[in-house]
Each structure stands twice: as structure tokens, then as C-alpha cells.
Amino acid sequence: MAAIFDTNRQDSALFIGGSRVSGQEVRSQNVMAAQAIANVIRTSLGPVGLDKMLVDDVGDVTISNDGATILQLLEVEHPAGKILVKLAQQQDTEVGDGTTSVVIIAAELLRRANELIKSHIHPATVIAGYRLACKEACRFIADQMALKVDKLGHEALVSVAMTTISSKILGAYGTYFAEMAVSALSAVKTPDFRGKARYPVKAVNVLKVKGASARESSHFTGYALRRPFCISAMQRSVSGPKIAVVDFDIAKTRMKLGVQIVIDDPESLEAIRKREADIAAERVRMLLAAGVTAVFSTRGIDDAYAKMLAEAGAVAVTRVPKEDARRIAKGTGATLLTTLANLDGDESVDPTALGTAELVEQVRLSDDDVVVIRGASEQRAATVILRGANDYMLDEMERSFHDSLCAVKRVLESGAVVPGGGAVEVAVDMYLESFATTLASREQLAIAEFANALLTIPKQLSVNAAKDSVELVAKLRAYHAAAQNAGADSPRSALKHYGLDLHEGKLRDSVKAGVLEPAMSKIKMLKSATEAAINILRIDDMIKLLPEQQPEDPHAHM
């Protein structure tokens, strides 16, 4: 497909090695690339969207319908295509959901803008119209479509999580995982420096354990590590532990490479060996003297020193990943110790560098031993244990659950939701069409095309569900037109909440049906898609340099 975009035409105005494509030709190429990217993920949109199987160059298989994941695994060569891939990744980072929708809308905006430019509308006019349309659309969503979560209650959060995962592998299990996502995120509520509540998604630890069915997945308040205690002689649990998180080996000290010691007396050699072993033993005694009863090390602990810890009633976990060590340190109030050296050059353990919790224990999950930290003192943590048949299923379950966590986080922090099922896109379409007629300038045409581009979402939702998209979207447009023309007290004003019921092939009140999405998701989606489309529209010249030719080696032999 990349051959479509290649050109061998040498421009006479270009005095360097390469090719140049200008004007309408480069716009058409960019639009074609954007359409190709959107067509890859178009059929994965919605609650009945289909999955994609991607196989990389070493044979690893990924099965997913998450737009950002699919595009990240594609090897996109065209520069305009790369912009859309980055767009999906940005939406995934900022909101966590809507990655497929944002790419489809951006590609449709580009296609319609290209048609306007072919009709002799200047790109600057189209860009100005798109900017104005995006601004008006975001204002309309915030003022007219957004609903406050505090009025809808806890059920709204579950509905948001359910709407997000309904199009993914977890959608088949009802509200089971939606309830789990809300509970896990509510457990990690922490105030920021302004006193405002924050819900860090990273504080929710997700463990994937093969075996059992997905319905046997569970969650608890605490932090879990997929590592056992370093020796079996250690007790299985410690109540009220003092926790040390260390980033150095507790092993027999060895001389650094390049260091030589010359001795005359063989007994001195034995003394050196004994001292090498005693240095690590002294460090263990320092930790125990400071009251440490649980050690989490990013490196190793020799069996001899692990035995010292076990005899003192302490437990230890080795080879803890750095990221997990940082989370444990932050949650328990500990400091990640890279050395025991103090400012005086001696070694000691500062009691303030230790963390506390209610319980550290080792539990058995399937064939794995898992260490669990419950009741961390500084920051609450939650752990979700996903169960599944194989690695492919577990990976997709994790991606789906992460999307639902991100959606719930945005709703909890922003406090606003909008009806789903295509309701927002159709409502904005009807509003912008009316708004466009109030302008007596050429931007009117761009705003009208922007409005029509939004209809690609409900149309694609209907097509993916094997329903009649023309009839459903026409009926939905009539409902929203009636809602916007009705007064605030009119019963018709409730029609603005109507969206598509893709399982039954009819329209329904999305708010009453519990199909809700974060308001921030829709606003960010429109802003990001518009910016990406404008960035690509501004391009009217593409210069591609030829790779530098390496000089031939006259001494090379075949």
C-alpha cells in the first residue's frame, strides 16, 4: 500500500537529492493515508465491534479491539498516518477511552476538508471554520449535554465503567467488572496539595493469573507482588510490620574489579574473607536492630542472610521490580534505600526511612505465591486479580479493565457525564447545522461539513451492529432537532438524551438505560481530532530526501 504514496517525479526547483510533492496532490495523499488508518480500526467501534489479530515479525500474537493498541502495533510509514497514531496514543493517555472514535472523526474531517478545497475553498477558510466549530461544539456539550454525577449517584459511575467495557472482552460479564473498577478506584482516593480528591490509576495494581474463569477475578484493598518470600523457612505473615525497601545486594562483599591486595601472611587472607562475610551480616543486624520485620529488595539476598532474617521473625522478598518497589515505598511511607551510608561515612539505618502497614502475608493463587501488603499507612492501594484461560485473553482483559479505570477516574475528577450511544454526536451535528446558517461568511461551509463529519460515529455504530444506519440516524436526528427546538419545560427537551440501542436496533433514552460516558472524553476527542486534522491540512508541500549513498569500497570482495 505504501507504493501508492511514492513518487519518482523529480522537481526542477529542487536542487537537492530527493522528490517534492506540492499542492492538491500532497493533500490527497495525506487524506488517503488517514482514511487507510481509520479503515483498519473502523469495524472495532461500538459494543458489537470486532477484534483484530496482529502478528509481529517474531510471531507474537495480539488480539484486541482497542484502537490505541492496534495502531501502536502497526508499522505506519506515511507521515500523516503517524500523526493519527500519535493522536490515538494521546487520547489513550489523557482520557483512556475513545481512541477509535477520535481517529475515525479526524479522518472524516480530513476527507470533507479535502472536498471543500477541491471546490476552491481556501485551506485557511476551512481551518478557521473547523476551529470555530470545535469551540462551539465543546461549549454546547459542556452547557447542554453534560450531567452532574452527584445528581446521578454511584450508579452513574458503574454505568460509565460498563459503557466503556461493553465494547470489549469484559462486556460479556455484565456489571461484574464495572463494579470492581469503581470499588478499586474508590479505594485509592487521595487528596492532592490543594485538598482536591485524586484517583491515581497506577495505585490500582493488576495481577494476571492464568487458570479459572473470568468470573473468579477478585479485588482487595492492598498491594500484591507476584513474588514469594525468599526462603520457605520464613513465617507466612507478619502483623504491623516495619518495612525497609532496599536497592542493594545483601550478599557477601566482593572486591571491585581491578582492585588487588598483596599479603604476606596466609592468615591475613582468611581474615579478609571473614570480613567480607561480616559486612553484609552487620547490615542485616542494623536492619533488625532498627525494628525491620519486612525487607523488599530490588536485588538479591544470600541464603545465609535470609536465614538470619527468618530466625529473627522477619520476612524478605527479593528481585522486586523497581516500579513496584517505588509504589511500595510511596504507599507505606518508606524511603527507597540505595545505601546504608550516612553523612559521616558510617553505615546506619534511619528509622524515618522505614514504612508501616497492617499486615504482610504470603498467599497462594493458582500455581503462584503472592506477597500481599494490606493497610499501607501513607497511600491506600488496591489490587485486582484477573483470571483467564490464556495469555491472550488476560492481556485483553487488562487493557479493557485499564480503560474502564481511566473512564471512572475522569468522571470522579471532573464530575460530569454525557449520554452515549451516539447522542452527543447527533446533538452537536444538529446544533452546528443551525449555527452555521447564522454566519454570512465562507466558514459556514466548513462548519456544516464539520457537523456532518460527526455523524460518522452513529453511522459506524449502526453498521457494526448490522442495523440500518440510514433509518436509525435519520430518526435520531429528528429526535434531537425536536429537543433543541422545544422549550426548557417541554417534555420534548428530554429527547436530547436519546441514543442508539444497537442490540434491539431502535432508539432509547441513554441516561435511563445507563449508557453514559465522561464529558471530558467527548470534549478531548473533538479538540484532539480537530487539531490533528488542521495540522495535516496545513501541509501543502512534502519534500522527501533520498538516503545518502555510501561510497563503494574499492577493496570490497564478494
Side-chain angles (χ1 to χ4, degrees):
M1 188 181 73
I4 299 173
F5 309 113
D6 288 342
T7 176
N8 296 318
R9 183 170 55 83
Q10 199 78 12
D11 195 295
S12 59
L14 198 64
F15 296 102
I16 54 178
S19 58
R20 178 183 178 187
V21 186
S22 302
Q24 186 56 43
E25 188 176 351
V26 70
R27 286 194 198 94
S28 298
Q29 286 187 11
N30 289 341
V31 170
M32 198 183 301
Q35 288 291 112
I37 294 292
N39 288 339
V40 171
I41 59 174
R42 192 179 292 275
T43 56
S44 64
L45 181 69
V48 283
L50 304 177
D51 290 357
K52 310 292 180 186
M53 177 185 284
L54 298 107
V55 185
D56 63 13
D57 50 359
V58 294
D60 287 342
V61 177
T62 303
I63 301 172
S64 178
N65 72 347
D66 180 62
T69 303
I70 295 168
L71 294 182
Q72 190 175 4
L73 294 173
L74 292 178
E75 291 185 4
V76 179
E77 294 183 358
H78 197 277
K82 289 180 180 178
I83 291 176
L84 291 194
V85 174
K86 293 290 184 184
L87 173 66
Q89 292 173 359
Q90 176 192 342
Q91 180 78 3
D92 190 46
T93 303
E94 292 190 0
V95 183
D97 192 28
T99 53
T100 305
S101 302
V102 72
V103 173
I104 292 174
I105 289 178
E108 186 68 13
L109 287 174
L110 275 173
R111 187 184 70 80
R112 290 178 176 274
N114 194 42
E115 295 299 322
L116 284 176
I117 294 170
K118 285 180 181 178
S119 302
H120 307 293
I121 305 296
H122 196 276
T125 303
V126 178
I127 290 171
Y130 274 10
R131 286 195 193 281
L132 181 57
C134 179
K135 181 180 177 182
E136 285 294 320
C138 293
R139 187 185 61 78
F140 175 79
I141 293 172
D143 293 346
Q144 302 296 326
M145 300 299 294
L147 303 167
K148 293 298 181 184
V149 177
D150 50 10
K151 294 181 181 178
L152 300 175
H154 173 78
E155 290 301 318
L157 297 175
V158 178
S159 297
V160 168
M162 187 61 210
T163 303
T164 303
I165 63 178
S166 64
S167 61
K168 305 181 188 297
I169 192 172
L170 299 180
Y173 301 97
T175 60
Y176 183 75
F177 285 96
E179 295 273 6
M180 193 183 296
V182 174
S183 300
L185 209 57
S186 300
V188 299
K189 177 182 178 182
T190 53
D192 63 5
F193 66 94
R194 296 173 183 163
K196 191 174 181 180
R198 294 294 176 194
Y199 300 84
V201 171
K202 286 188 176 181
V204 180
N205 187 30
V206 179
L207 281 184
K208 298 177 289 186
V209 182
K210 276 191 291 189
S213 69
R215 281 230 176 246
E216 293 182 48
S217 301
S218 59
H219 78 284
F220 60 87
T221 302
Y223 198 87
L225 273 174
R226 201 167 183 169
R227 301 284 301 167
F229 293 147
C230 57
I231 59 173
S232 57
M234 290 177 175
Q235 54 190 6
R236 287 293 169 264
S237 65
V238 177
S239 297
K242 282 195 173 181
I243 297 170
V245 185
V246 300
D247 186 22
F248 55 82
D249 285 307
I250 303 179
K252 182 180 177 182
T253 305
R254 291 176 177 82
M255 291 295 174
K256 302 292 184 184
L257 289 175
V259 175
Q260 293 182 345
I261 300 177
V262 181
I263 58 172
D264 298 327
D265 186 3
E267 291 182 1
S268 302
L269 181 61
E270 190 60 34
I272 290 171
R273 286 175 177 165
K274 185 175 184 303
R275 180 58 188 152
E276 284 178 341
D278 286 346
I279 290 173
E282 286 175 8
R283 288 175 179 168
V284 173
R285 292 190 195 101
M286 285 179 194
L287 290 170
L288 293 173
V292 173
T293 54
V295 178
F296 292 87
S297 174
T298 60
R299 303 192 187 181
I301 300 178
D302 281 358
D303 288 347
Y305 309 114
K307 186 169 179 280
M308 289 176 63
L309 291 168
E311 288 173 349
V315 295
V317 182
T318 59
R319 310 296 176 191
V320 177
K322 274 278 183 73
E323 184 65 27
D324 289 330
R326 291 191 190 97
R327 289 185 190 175
I328 292 169
K330 185 176 181 180
T332 60
T335 303
L336 184 61
L337 300 173
T338 56
T339 178
L340 294 183
N342 55 29
L343 295 175
D344 298 327
D346 301 323
E347 289 195 337
S348 61
V349 178
D350 185 358
T352 61
L354 305 181
T356 56
E358 293 178 3
L359 180 71
V360 172
E361 63 176 343
Q362 179 177 300
V363 296
R364 188 80 172 172
L365 282 178
S366 187
D367 295 331
D368 299 320
D369 288 318
V370 177
V371 172
V372 178
I373 304 170
R374 299 182 189 272
S377 59
E378 292 297 315
Q379 182 182 11
R380 296 181 69 188
T383 296
V384 174
I385 299 169
L386 297 178
R387 308 300 297 272
N390 52 51
D391 289 331
Y392 306 127
M393 183 176 178
L394 284 171
D395 288 343
E396 181 64 1
M397 286 173 68
E398 182 184 22
R399 285 189 288 267
S400 304
F401 194 76
H402 179 266
D403 284 357
S404 66
L405 287 176
C406 290
V408 174
K409 167 190 166 74
R410 296 304 177 190
V411 170
L412 284 169
E413 291 181 356
S414 65
V417 294
V418 292
V424 171
E425 287 81 5
V426 175
V428 172
D429 165 62
M430 298 307 300
Y431 171 74
L432 287 180
E433 282 193 358
S434 299
F435 173 74
T437 58
T438 64
L439 299 178
S441 61
R442 292 188 178 188
E443 282 82 0
Q444 178 189 118
L445 300 173
I447 293 173
E449 291 297 333
F450 187 101
N452 289 331
L454 298 180
L455 291 180
T456 189
I457 295 298
K459 285 178 182 176
Q460 192 63 46
L461 287 171
S462 305
V463 169
N464 290 351
K467 306 299 180 187
D468 187 346
S469 63
V470 176
E471 182 181 349
L472 283 177
V473 173
K475 192 180 294 185
L476 193 55
R477 278 167 55 85
Y479 276 35
H480 282 276
Q484 291 178 20
N485 292 328
D489 299 329
S490 172
R492 284 190 171 189
S493 63
L495 292 175
K496 69 179 181 179
H497 295 153
Y498 269 68
L500 300 172
D501 180 356
L502 297 173
H503 295 288
E504 299 294 331
K506 60 183 183 182
L507 306 185
R508 66 178 174 185
D509 189 325
S510 294
V511 176
K512 290 181 180 178
V515 181
L516 301 173
E517 299 179 58
M520 180 187 288
S521 173
K522 293 295 183 186
I523 292 173
K524 287 277 188 186
M525 179 181 73
L526 284 180
K527 286 183 177 179
S528 301
T530 306
E531 287 298 326
I534 288 173
N535 282 342
I536 296 174
L537 275 179
R538 291 172 66 91
I539 299 168
D540 76 333
D541 224 333
M542 183 169 68
I543 299 171
K544 186 175 182 181
L545 301 182
L546 295 176
E548 185 179 351
Q549 296 291 332
Q550 296 293 331
E552 290 188 10
D553 184 1
H555 302 290
H557 300 286
M558 296 300 291

